[in-house]
Amino acid sequence: MTNTAENIIAPAPLDVAAIKADFPILGETVYGKPLTFLDSAASAQKPAAVIDAERDLFEHYYANIHRGVYKFSQDATEAYEQTRETVKAFINARRSRECIFVRGATEGINLVAQTWGRANLQEGDEIILSELEHHSNIVPWQMVAEEKGAKIKVIPLLDDGSVDMETYASLLSDRTKMVAVAHISNSIGTHLPVAEIIRIAHAAGAKVLIDGCQAAPHEKIDVQALDADFYAFSAHKVYGPTGIGVIYGKEELLDAMPPWQGGGDMISTVTFEKTTYNDLPHKFEAGTPNISGGIAMRHALEYVSAIGFDRIAAHEADLRDYATEQLVGSNSVRLIGTAEGKGAIISFVMESAHPHDIGTILDRQGIAVRAGHHCAQPVMDRFNIPGTVRASFGIYNDRTDVDRLIAGLKKVVDIFG
């Protein structure tokens, strides 16, 4: 049956009250005001299931993993490796060995830059980034480019904050070896057309790394459908713990890459004459890992998956649109980044007040937003501003949170004019 406006069934709305009840911290008050948390793009809050998973490990079966023959070690190892299977399903990787555990997306991007980059880049080769990138997807490539004599090219932004795809296509050449871009901009919320970016890059013979930090909490990720060569995300933005994340890579690429760090677990044999390395994924996981974080990450991914990404996307799009309507109607606010289909992020400036002052005034109202350049200084330079105020939404936000933000901004106007 052909889809029409009449027969498309909208996803069931989220029960935000029930979701809020799953997050203990959301019952806290700030300066006597109810907490309005609008900074999930920096780090999302944690549901009780995640908190309980870490506590359960430390109270009942903690031990180092992959090495012990006793029960606690075997139980901890099994729980930790169950997470890898969950990650495989979460991003639809072909095999779990393609999912490397790292401290977060930053370490994952550095791993690819320092291993794949050192092995494959030569003098005169080119790396393409977008003007939207977080510093963690700029600096690692600058470091390896300087070392290897490679050149970085940048996809410019259009005035609405979208990437200039026509210019992107013109930047590619037979010297392009890597294209590294965000799935969704952390600073202004632009949703990049990553499937098209990957297709064009592959046609030119280049590999592609996607920084998926801002996409993983909000939409279903399918690395096979995207045909991404590498995909990175951090657990703490997907309602999980800090200090743990994933770098996915196609198996044939990971197999060919040298290890990045040496130590325990990443080896098969060690002598003073020669060391042989372990198989994937352990080749890239030297030393004792974040065991509790790895185990708890599974519970975070299962939590959001159980809610359903179609429902999450519809709910957050409603919040984004509702907040945009309120702010567009204000003469005192200017939105930065208005591209169609953007993520659940609203970034704005007010002519009368610095972003840090705005953030401080909102904080006294119990409203947590991010103020500054958001580790994306080139974006701020593009729009000739020092920074923005960023409100970012999660599954536990509702229109009441937007209303509180708007009321808080009226207080900013009262103070600064």
Side-chain angles (χ1 to χ4, degrees), residues 290-402:
N290 181 354
I291 301 169
S292 61
I295 291 171
M297 176 166 63
R298 171 168 61 90
H299 293 266
L301 301 184
E302 290 175 347
Y303 182 86
V304 293
S305 296
I307 293 172
F309 281 104
D310 56 341
R311 299 175 67 204
I312 292 172
H315 175 72
E316 293 175 340
D318 174 74
L319 292 180
R320 176 203 64 209
D321 293 345
Y322 180 63
T324 300
E325 291 169 6
Q326 303 298 310
L327 292 170
V328 166
S330 169
N331 293 328
S332 58
V333 172
R334 177 165 64 97
L335 297 180
I336 305 296
T338 57
E340 289 291 325
K342 59 181 288 185
I345 289 173
I346 303 291
S347 207
F348 61 91
V349 295
M350 300 177 73
E351 298 298 333
S352 61
H354 190 280
H356 290 164
D357 293 325
I358 300 168
T360 300
I361 293 170
L362 292 176
D363 176 51
R364 298 299 298 191
Q365 307 306 311
I367 304 164
V369 296
R370 184 66 46 149
H373 55 61
H374 318 297
C375 294
Q377 288 180 314
V379 179
M380 305 303 128
D381 292 342
R382 165 62 175 80
F383 291 102
N384 195 30
I385 53 177
T388 70
V389 178
R390 184 188 69 191
S392 52
F393 303 110
I395 53 177
Y396 36 57
N397 293 122
D398 56 23
R399 287 192 173 201
T400 299
D401 296 321
V402 175

Side-chain angles (χ1 to χ4, degrees), residues 264-282:
D265 234 24
M266 53 75 64
I267 53 86
S268 292
T269 62
V270 176
T271 69
F272 283 108
E273 288 72 36
K274 181 175 177 59
T275 292
T276 58
Y277 303 125
N278 206 343
D279 295 330
L280 295 174
H282 307 296

Side-chain angles (χ1 to χ4, degrees), residues 131-355:
E131 204 170 10
L132 280 170
E133 298 313 306
H134 189 283
H135 296 165
S136 62
N137 200 29
I138 298 174
V139 180
W141 299 111
Q142 289 177 327
M143 293 168 67
V144 72
E146 182 176 359
E147 176 184 329
K148 304 298 290 188
K151 179 180 180 181
I152 290 177
K153 292 184 173 181
V154 180
I155 311 168
L157 294 184
L158 302 176
D159 289 343
D160 67 351
S162 59
V163 293
D164 185 341
M165 290 294 288
E166 184 176 341
T167 298
Y168 164 59
S170 72
L171 292 176
L172 288 156
S173 73
D174 58 2
R175 300 310 302 265
T176 307
K177 296 299 186 288
M178 172 61 73
V179 176
V181 297
H183 200 152
I184 296 176
S185 162
N186 78 298
S187 59
I188 61 174
T190 302
H191 195 298
L192 281 73
V194 291
E196 182 69 2
I197 287 172
I198 292 169
R199 185 192 66 78
I200 295 172
H202 284 172
K207 306 301 181 190
V208 183
L209 179 146
I210 302 297
D211 172 1
C213 277
Q214 298 300 332
H218 306 292
E219 63 182 73
K220 177 60 182 170
I221 305 303
D222 189 332
V223 294
Q224 292 190 74
L226 289 174
D227 198 22
D229 299 297
F230 302 99
Y231 196 98
F233 71 92
S234 295
H236 72 98
K237 297 183 190 295
V238 198
Y239 309 98
T242 57
I244 187 76
V246 176
I247 180 70
Y248 156 86
K250 289 180 177 176
E251 185 175 8
E252 60 272 21
L253 296 176
L254 294 173
D255 272 333
M257 288 157 51
W260 183 32
Q261 297 175 325
D265 234 24
M266 53 75 64
I267 53 86
S268 292
T269 62
V270 176
T271 69
F272 283 108
E273 288 72 36
K274 181 175 177 59
T275 292
T276 58
Y277 303 125
N278 206 343
D279 295 330
L280 295 174
H282 307 296
K283 181 174 76 169
F284 294 106
E285 296 180 359
T288 298
N290 181 354
I291 301 169
S292 61
I295 291 171
M297 176 166 63
R298 171 168 61 90
H299 293 266
L301 301 184
E302 290 175 347
Y303 182 86
V304 293
S305 296
I307 293 172
F309 281 104
D310 56 341
R311 299 175 67 204
I312 292 172
H315 175 72
E316 293 175 340
D318 174 74
L319 292 180
R320 176 203 64 209
D321 293 345
Y322 180 63
T324 300
E325 291 169 6
Q326 303 298 310
L327 292 170
V328 166
S330 169
N331 293 328
S332 58
V333 172
R334 177 165 64 97
L335 297 180
I336 305 296
T338 57
E340 289 291 325
K342 59 181 288 185
I345 289 173
I346 303 291
S347 207
F348 61 91
V349 295
M350 300 177 73
E351 298 298 333
S352 61
H354 190 280

Side-chain angles (χ1 to χ4, degrees), residues 20-53:
K20 282 179 181 283
D22 289 337
F23 289 78
I25 200 171
L26 297 182
E28 295 293 311
T29 58
V30 179
Y31 303 115
K33 308 287 197 312
L35 172 63
T36 301
F37 190 78
L38 298 175
D39 195 25
S40 294
S43 195
Q45 298 297 345
K46 321 304 171 193
V50 170
I51 299 168
D52 292 346

